[in-house]
């Protein structure tokens, strides 16, 4: 059992059950110690949960609940090779009772680890299948592919280039090392679509004296850089002599930086104050932001390889994609990458996008900014459609013309931004319930599958349940059925299996046609 010496967080008087299953906040040194302890016991854990002799566990994360339950997230290796889709979480209670959540239930075994197809051949095939401009393959690595079906020996090749809209591409291609057939591919660049442009006059975390920089020393050292129309590198750190950044207009380069910097600060504060998380990775270290990417680039994206958010300036360079909910959305991709690692394709990709929408909206509500009040609309400030409509609607996702209101068997085949609809809808229903209502001046009317009536439990409980599900019960291959199971487990841990909250989670999933 992993032992972590930490102080427990304060309990909520209104929800005493919740306190026991709420994750306690670990300092950077405590987290390092917890990871080291877990890794030291990894071989014994592998044996205890019945893994084969050639399988090893590599610790990725440790979460300890206030009641002493420890959730340890592992990657798996087989004969020294990474097992993609082999991740698992071991849940150990204070009394030693143990259970395991696995990305795959398949036995990890392959006839040989000697590939019949050369790495270079796999790389050429991966490039040939890419639609990115200037596609180039990095060195392939030998892996065991276990995310879909029977585990096989494979090559993983990362093909880099540029997508059609100017977004960088970092596509992971999995090639069968015996037949040369492409087994799977996914894009790992996850898009989302001072005196700020969107949030009014705000206080920014800066550093310096006489010369000031957009460096927030109180929030893990977050920095905001100017790419100046470039598409690579870090850029130039924003600096001035007045300690006032931006004037609220897009024509001032500092304005977009002020929005991005403020959004990062509010996201950091939301995770720390509401969920007890010390930074996106839980290690007290901030990501960084880059603004003014490319020319009239109408998007924003998270890149886990640089651990950074990047924002374009929108159509005509007049509407930077730096609004508060977009900032929260992008940083939350980093949270997902650091926890469940939901693969950015199929149903898991939709859940990945929904997670960012859920927490992006939650950050907006948390900030309680008079210029950008909280709502269940995604990207309503950036006017990416050019007609004043938001990117996505959580109460009725199909209002955007492409997103799905409810689950169906082919939902994983649509773009991840649209297959996110059922999970976004679930979150709205769990928070607010079905039917007509007005919140912060915005009118909503949320229908449900089969006319199910849903009673909400409040946004705070809803995002606590989603966060716990993501960080302790979801894995890289979680689909909608798995998300239902994960959130029910989270609700049970936080509030009890016979609680109104548990019932509401089940009912909200019924409302989007995820019934088992």
């Amino acid at each position: 059992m992993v032992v972590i010496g930490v102080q427990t967080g304060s309990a909520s008087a209104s929800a005493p059950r919740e306190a026991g299953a709420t994750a306690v906040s670990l300092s950077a040194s405590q987290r390092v110690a917890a990871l080291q302890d877990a890794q030291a016991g990894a071989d014994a854990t592998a044996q205890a949960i019945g893994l084969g002799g050639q399988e090893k566990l590599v610790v990725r994360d440790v979460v300890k609940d206030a009641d002493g339950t420890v959730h340890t997230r592992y990657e798996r290796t087989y004969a020294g090779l990474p097992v993609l889709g082999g991740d698992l979480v071991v849940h150990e209670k204070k009394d030693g009772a143990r259970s395991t959540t696995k990305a795959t239930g398949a036995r990890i075994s392959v006839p040989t680890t000697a590939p019949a197809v050369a790495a270079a051949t796999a790389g050429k095939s991966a490039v040939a299948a890419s639609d990115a401009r200037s596609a180039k393959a990095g060195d392939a690595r030998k892996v065991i592919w276990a995310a879909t079906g029977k585990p096989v020996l494979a090559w993983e090749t990362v093909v880099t280039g540029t997508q059609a809209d100017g977004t960088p591409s970092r596509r992971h291609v999995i090639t069968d090392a015996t037949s040369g057939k492409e087994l799977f591919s996914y894009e790992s660049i996850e898009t989302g679509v001072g005196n700020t442009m969107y949030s009014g006059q705000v206080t920014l975390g800066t550093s310096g004296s006489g010369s000031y920089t957009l460096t927030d020393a109180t929030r893990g050292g977050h920095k905001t850089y100017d790419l100046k129309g470039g598409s690579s590198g870090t850029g130039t750190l924003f600096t001035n002599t007045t300690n006032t950044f931006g004037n609220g207009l897009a024509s001032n380069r500092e304005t977009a930086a002020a929005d991005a910097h403020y959004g990062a600060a509010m996201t950091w504060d939301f995770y720390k104050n509401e969920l007890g998380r010390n930074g996106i990775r839980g290690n007290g270290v901030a990501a960084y932001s880059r603004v003014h990417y490319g020319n009239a680039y109408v998007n924003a994206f998270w890149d886990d390889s640089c651990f950074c958010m990047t924002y374009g300036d929108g159509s005509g360079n007049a509407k930077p994609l730096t609004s508060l909910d977009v900032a929260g959305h992008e940083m939350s991709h980093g949270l997902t990458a650091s926890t469940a690692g939901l693969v950015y394709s199929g149903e898991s990709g939709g859940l990945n996008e929904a997670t960012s929408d859920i927490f992006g909206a939650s950050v907006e509500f948390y900030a309680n900014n008079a210029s950008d009040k909280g709502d269940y609309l995604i990207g309503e400030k950036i006017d990416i459609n050019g007609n004043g409509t938001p990117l996505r609607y959580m109460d009725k996702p199909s209002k955007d013309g492409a997103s799905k209101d409810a689950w169906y068997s082919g939902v994983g085949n649509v773009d991840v931004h649209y297959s996110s609809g059922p999970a976004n809808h679930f979150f709205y229903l769990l928070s607010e319930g079905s039917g007509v209502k007005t919140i912060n001046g915005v009118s909503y009317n949320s229908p449900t599958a089969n006319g199910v009536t849903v009673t909400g439990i409040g946004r705070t409980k809803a995002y606590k349940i989603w966060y716990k599900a993501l960080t302790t019960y979801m894995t890289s291959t979680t689909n909608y059925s798995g998300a239902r199971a994960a959130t029910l487990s989270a609700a049970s841990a936080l509030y009890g299996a016979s609680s109104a909250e548990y019932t509401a989670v089940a009912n909200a999933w019924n409302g989007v046609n995820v019934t088992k």
Side-chain angles (χ1 to χ4, degrees):
M1 177 168 177
V2 181
V3 179
I4 310 168
V6 297
Q7 294 180 338
T8 59
S10 60
S12 167
S14 61
R17 171 81 187 197
E18 179 186 301
T22 299
V24 296
S25 180
L26 304 180
S27 68
S29 60
Q30 288 170 335
R31 185 172 184 275
V32 169
L35 293 171
Q36 290 174 340
D37 287 348
Q39 192 59 62
D43 288 348
T45 300
Q47 185 175 9
I49 64 174
L51 299 190
Q54 295 195 73
E55 295 178 74
K56 300 289 185 182
L57 293 174
V58 180
V59 179
R60 270 189 58 194
D61 196 16
V62 176
V63 175
K64 183 177 180 180
D65 294 343
D67 64 6
T69 302
V70 177
H71 310 270
T72 308
R73 186 177 296 275
Y74 298 93
E75 299 289 352
R76 206 180 334 182
T77 65
Y78 174 86
L81 301 178
V83 180
L84 305 186
D87 51 300
L88 54 90
V89 185
V90 175
H91 317 279
E92 189 162 354
K93 293 185 178 297
K94 193 173 183 178
D95 64 5
R98 182 189 286 118
S99 61
T100 306
T101 303
K102 294 181 178 180
T104 178
R107 176 174 173 269
I108 308 300
S109 179
V110 294
T112 178
T113 57
V117 175
T121 302
K124 289 178 181 177
S125 297
V127 169
S130 173
D131 56 6
R133 299 195 298 267
S134 303
K136 181 180 179 181
D139 294 335
R141 68 167 181 164
K142 191 164 55 170
V143 301
I144 305 298
W145 175 248
T148 53
K150 183 180 179 181
V152 296
L153 184 69
W155 292 107
E156 180 190 32
T157 308
V158 180
V159 179
T160 58
T162 305
Q163 298 178 46
D165 68 351
T167 306
S169 177
R170 187 167 285 108
R171 180 163 289 278
H172 293 242
V173 181
I174 312 301
T175 306
D176 192 310
T178 301
S179 67
K181 178 183 176 182
E182 181 179 313
L183 299 171
F184 193 80
S185 68
Y186 68 95
E187 178 61 65
S188 64
I189 297 292
E190 297 168 343
T191 57
V193 210
N195 289 309
T196 69
M197 186 167 179
Y198 304 115
S199 298
Q201 189 172 71
V202 297
T203 300
L204 298 178
T206 62
S207 297
S209 178
S211 179
Y212 302 91
T213 68
L214 284 183
T215 302
D216 194 338
T218 65
R219 297 180 176 90
H222 175 269
K223 300 177 186 290
T224 300
Y225 296 91
D226 187 355
L227 280 173
K228 299 179 179 178
S231 58
S232 63
T234 303
T236 303
L237 183 63
F238 277 92
T239 305
N240 72 26
T241 58
T242 66
N243 208 17
T244 297
F245 290 82
N247 64 1
L249 301 176
S251 56
N252 184 309
R253 301 191 69 77
E254 292 180 354
T255 297
D259 272 297
H261 205 68
Y262 173 69
M266 290 299 98
T267 304
W268 177 283
D269 289 353
F270 166 75
Y271 281 120
K272 183 177 182 179
N273 298 333
E274 294 297 295
L275 299 169
R277 189 172 188 85
N278 188 24
I280 294 302
R281 284 179 173 157
N283 62 357
V285 178
Y288 64 89
S289 299
R290 307 185 302 175
V291 298
H292 303 307
Y293 175 91
N295 180 34
Y297 175 63
V298 189
N299 218 327
F301 61 89
W302 168 269
D303 185 349
D304 201 51
S305 68
C306 67
F307 199 60
C308 69
M309 296 83 66
T310 304
Y311 304 91
D313 287 325
S315 180
N317 294 312
K319 282 281 188 177
L321 277 80
T322 50
S323 65
L324 188 53
D325 56 355
V326 173
H329 175 108
E330 297 308 335
M331 288 184 74
S332 296
H333 277 308
L335 169 71
T336 299
S338 300
T339 55
L342 291 161
V343 174
Y344 204 58
S345 177
E347 291 191 19
S348 61
L351 291 167
N352 188 318
E353 270 297 312
T355 295
S356 284
D357 282 352
I358 287 166
F359 290 131
S362 298
V363 166
E364 191 177 76
F365 274 105
Y366 169 81
N368 194 27
N369 184 288
S371 297
D372 188 6
K373 292 183 178 180
D375 53 51
Y376 294 95
L377 311 175
I378 306 301
E380 74 282 357
K381 287 284 188 179
I382 58 178
D383 195 23
I384 201 169
N385 297 321
N387 59 6
T389 59
L391 281 171
R392 289 183 286 280
Y393 304 78
M394 301 184 84
D395 65 318
K396 188 179 180 182
S398 62
K399 285 174 68 175
D400 67 14
S403 292
K404 308 305 176 185
D405 290 334
W407 181 88
Y408 63 97
S409 61
V411 75
N413 297 326
V414 303
D415 182 278
V416 294
H417 296 87
Y418 306 137
S419 63
S420 65
N424 280 342
H425 195 188
F426 160 81
F427 180 75
Y428 175 87
L429 289 171
L430 184 61
S431 299
E432 306 293 347
S434 55
V436 178
K437 53 183 57 68
T438 300
I439 304 166
N440 282 349
V442 179
S443 298
Y444 302 96
N445 186 3
S446 191
T448 60
N450 302 316
V452 174
T453 299
V454 178
T455 300
I457 60 173
R459 186 175 51 260
T460 299
K461 287 182 178 180
Y463 62 59
K464 285 183 176 181
I465 288 170
W466 192 270
Y467 176 79
K468 186 165 189 64
L470 178 78
T471 55
T472 59
Y473 296 109
M474 292 186 189
T475 66
S476 62
T477 60
T478 295
N479 57 14
Y480 269 103
S481 177
R484 183 182 191 276
T487 49
L488 285 170
S489 293
S492 177
L494 289 169
Y495 305 108
S498 59
S499 65
E501 291 83 0
Y502 184 95
T503 300
V505 169
N507 206 30
W509 280 122
N510 291 343
V512 298
N513 200 36
V514 182
T515 57
K516 62 180 180 178

